[in-house]
Amino acid sequence: MTLPNRQSLAPNAENAITILTERAKECDAQDSLASLISEFSLPKDCIYLDGNSLGPLPIRAKQRAKEVVEQQWGEDLITSWNKHKWIDLPYKVGSKIAPLLRCESSQVIACDSISVNLTKVLCAALSMQQRTSPQRNLVISQRDNFPTDLYMVQGLGELLGAARCELLSVEQDAIYEVIETHGQQTAVLMLTHVNFRSGLVHDMRAITKAAHSKGILVVWDLAHSAGTLELALDECEVDFAVGCTYKYLNGGPGAPAFVYAAKRHWPHIQQPLSGWMGHKRPFDFCHDYQAGEGMASFLVGTPPVVSMSVLDAALDVFDGISSAKLRAKAQSLTQFFYEAFCALMPNTEFLMVSPQDASIRGSQLALAHPEAYAICQALIANNVIADFRAPNILRLGFSPLFLSHQDLLHAALRLKEIMDKKSYMDKVFQTKQAVT
Ligand SMILES: *Cc1c(COP(=O)(O)O)cnc(C)c1O
């Protein structure tokens, strides 16, 4: 990586670079997670600010992929279900995720996608409420929640009818108010802990408490939290949670998601996707469904063994690392980039959409600009990988496992150069591709 030609910079920018370089070096010297970079297979010279969309490849995961395909599938064939304990993978993987959520480990299981798992927990929560408070039909959520979360509630509303399930989506600052005003009609509050665009973090403990005071069950989506934020699901008395593993957990594209259900609810859980893997004794092949105990009842069909094995290996990178430590590093990275951005681009045309207060900001920054898509493409062409979120957000993710503060200074300087030269105006950067 080469820095921009210093002669082209204003003297105050040059000064800022000197100060930032020193700070980056100091922060990196104190970083107790710095050695984890060696766990990853990343392309040379690539500054990867998209671990919040697709985590990079852990070397252990690559080795396991080879082993599970060549040895387990290739040589041991169907005996692997027992010999390599494929059948236990959903539980084993769940118990590796649990410490990152700070919860008792039997309450987490890996399966399906967030969308499918949301359907299961929403149905379980709705039917629990139906039995005791049939007047509760509302599912409260946030207008700018991730679309799939809202779509799943809309689909359930179609299936069950509005008298059983009706979505009420409100603005982020109206959540406490709607809990007060609609508490008695509400079955479920479903929120994403970290907003996927802005990175704003909800106060899980306070919101869960407010909802419980009105008899509402709470479902948290942890897509942008697990592996990078400090969580405490048991302490916060969360009812249900879901999350994916291909973002900060580095499980690979389309890796299975996870479900958390508080143990106190287990005896009351019923969910309609009553597949054979969730049966009490799947290999009895009996006629009638009988739900398995505890988290087993969230399983539906045959687990994707290759993907689940890769995820299992990827999670070993987190072994012995607390979520508090991950949060501290991610927060330091995000704050450093934020400060570098402000110092290097004082007259920026970007609008910072993420909170300024680091304590309520996840491991990402959202920068709004009418040319955000092209700017993102120009960054990628300069080996800084970020992503674009419609309509106008350049989104930068700061995974705590493989980035250094010095990487982020380089990334900020690249961005400055692209903005100063307006190189994003080049038409090669202006054409939209299928996946953004
Ligand atoms: C990434 C993400 C999802 C993805 O859902 P899948 O069904 O696993 O594809 C869901 N919710 C949020 C908040 C996300 O950020």
Side-chain angles (χ1 to χ4, degrees):
M1 287 262 151
T2 51
L3 297 177
N5 182 353
R6 288 198 167 206
Q7 270 101 58
S8 68
L9 293 168
N12 52 351
E14 193 177 328
N15 194 21
I17 294 174
T18 310
I19 295 168
L20 288 164
T21 305
E22 281 313 304
R23 272 218 25 232
K25 282 182 182 161
E26 276 167 33
C27 292
D28 289 341
Q30 288 162 16
D31 175 11
S32 64
L33 303 182
S35 64
L36 290 172
I37 176 87
S38 65
E39 292 278 348
F40 291 89
S41 174
L42 274 159
K44 205 171 167 301
D45 286 338
C46 167
I47 300 177
Y48 193 62
L49 306 184
D50 217 0
N52 54 328
S53 255
L54 175 67
L57 171 64
I59 292 163
R60 297 162 190 267
K62 181 154 65 174
Q63 289 160 346
R64 181 73 72 84
K66 192 169 152 66
E67 184 191 324
V68 75
V69 170
E70 291 183 359
Q71 178 61 41
Q72 300 183 3
W73 180 19
E75 299 291 327
D76 299 331
L77 290 159
I78 200 161
T79 65
S80 294
W81 283 101
N82 293 313
K83 187 170 178 186
H84 300 293
K85 300 196 163 49
W86 285 353
I87 199 71
D88 297 332
L89 280 170
Y91 302 90
K92 185 180 174 209
V93 168
S95 71
K96 287 185 183 179
I97 295 170
L100 298 170
L101 315 181
R102 223 155 80 210
C103 65
E104 202 266 299
S105 69
S106 64
Q107 299 168 114
V108 186
I109 199 160
C111 51
D112 305 309
S113 60
I114 287 192
S115 307
V116 172
N117 289 335
L118 264 178
T119 304
K120 292 183 264 184
V121 299
L122 283 167
C123 286
L126 286 169
S127 70
M128 280 165 64
Q129 294 283 28
Q130 181 70 25
R131 275 173 250 143
T132 54
S133 327
Q135 84 284 2
R136 293 181 185 268
N137 69 324
L138 297 180
V139 176
I140 298 176
S141 195
Q142 197 177 321
R143 282 204 77 79
D144 62 346
N145 198 347
F146 192 82
T148 205
D149 300 43
L150 302 175
Y151 299 162
M152 298 320 288
V153 182
Q154 289 165 6
L156 280 178
E158 288 289 319
L159 180 72
L160 300 172
R164 292 279 311 275
C165 173
E166 188 178 350
L167 176 65
L168 174 62
S169 50
V170 301
E171 298 300 333
Q172 164 216 309
D173 54 12
I175 292 167
Y176 286 105
E177 190 185 319
V178 78
I179 290 173
E180 280 302 314
T181 54
H182 292 67
Q184 302 307 322
Q185 296 140 264
T186 304
V188 180
L189 171 65
M190 175 192 73
L191 291 175
T192 295
H193 184 219
V194 180
N195 185 279
F196 79 104
R197 280 201 193 87
S198 70
L200 182 112
V201 184
H202 280 305
D203 185 337
M204 186 181 285
R205 195 181 300 262
I207 292 179
T208 303
K209 200 168 169 208
H212 283 173
S213 76
K214 299 286 176 192
I216 301 169
L217 290 167
V218 186
V219 175
W220 286 102
D221 182 336
L222 306 177
H224 292 277
S225 315
T228 192
L229 255 80
E230 192 174 3
L231 295 165
L233 296 196
D234 285 349
E235 273 169 58
C236 293
E237 297 186 2
V238 168
D239 299 294
F240 299 98
V242 295
C244 55
T245 64
Y246 49 80
K247 293 174 181 164
Y248 291 103
L249 298 180
N250 316 307
F258 63 85
V259 188
Y260 161 94
K263 220 172 198 170
R264 63 183 178 281
H265 294 319
W266 288 3
H268 316 292
I269 288 171
Q270 260 183 2
Q271 63 86 11
L273 304 182
S274 43
W276 73 304
M277 282 291 156
H279 193 279
K280 207 169 204 155
R281 293 175 303 277
F283 294 94
D284 280 6
F285 298 100
C286 53
H287 177 274
D288 291 320
Y289 184 75
Q290 246 189 306
E293 306 269 326
M295 298 308 291
S297 68
F298 284 106
L299 296 181
V300 182
T302 307
V305 171
V306 175
S307 186
M308 190 87 81
S309 302
V310 167
L311 168 60
D312 178 51
L315 288 168
D316 288 339
V317 173
F318 291 91
D319 191 24
I321 303 172
S322 69
S323 64
K325 214 164 202 179
L326 295 165
R327 170 64 168 157
K329 164 87 183 275
Q331 211 166 24
S332 170
L333 291 171
T334 311
Q335 184 64 19
F336 180 78
F337 188 92
Y338 185 90
E339 286 171 19
F341 173 82
C342 294
L344 296 171
M345 286 164 265
N347 304 315
T348 183
E349 296 162 5
F350 281 111
L351 183 72
M352 181 68 74
V353 175
S354 301
Q356 286 187 17
D357 176 356
S359 70
I360 54 161
R361 186 176 65 207
S363 311
Q364 68 189 67
L365 289 173
L367 301 168
H369 191 288
E371 293 292 338
Y373 181 80
I375 296 166
C376 183
Q377 293 307 305
L379 269 175
I380 293 170
N382 280 282
N383 261 338
V384 177
I385 302 185
D387 64 22
F388 164 78
R389 284 294 171 263
N392 62 348
I393 303 272
L394 172 67
R395 196 175 64 158
L396 309 166
F398 304 98
S399 171
L401 296 175
F402 51 85
L403 289 169
S404 70
H405 298 79
Q406 290 174 84
D407 289 338
L408 298 188
L409 178 55
H410 288 301
L413 288 164
R414 296 267 158 221
L415 180 59
K416 177 179 168 54
E417 195 177 2
I418 288 165
M419 299 313 292
D420 286 351
K421 292 187 177 157
K422 293 198 185 307
S423 51
Y424 58 86
M425 297 303 282
D426 191 318
K427 68 177 184 303
V428 296
F429 300 137
Q430 301 267 341
T431 322
K432 280 220 176 94
Q433 298 182 44
V435 176
T436 60

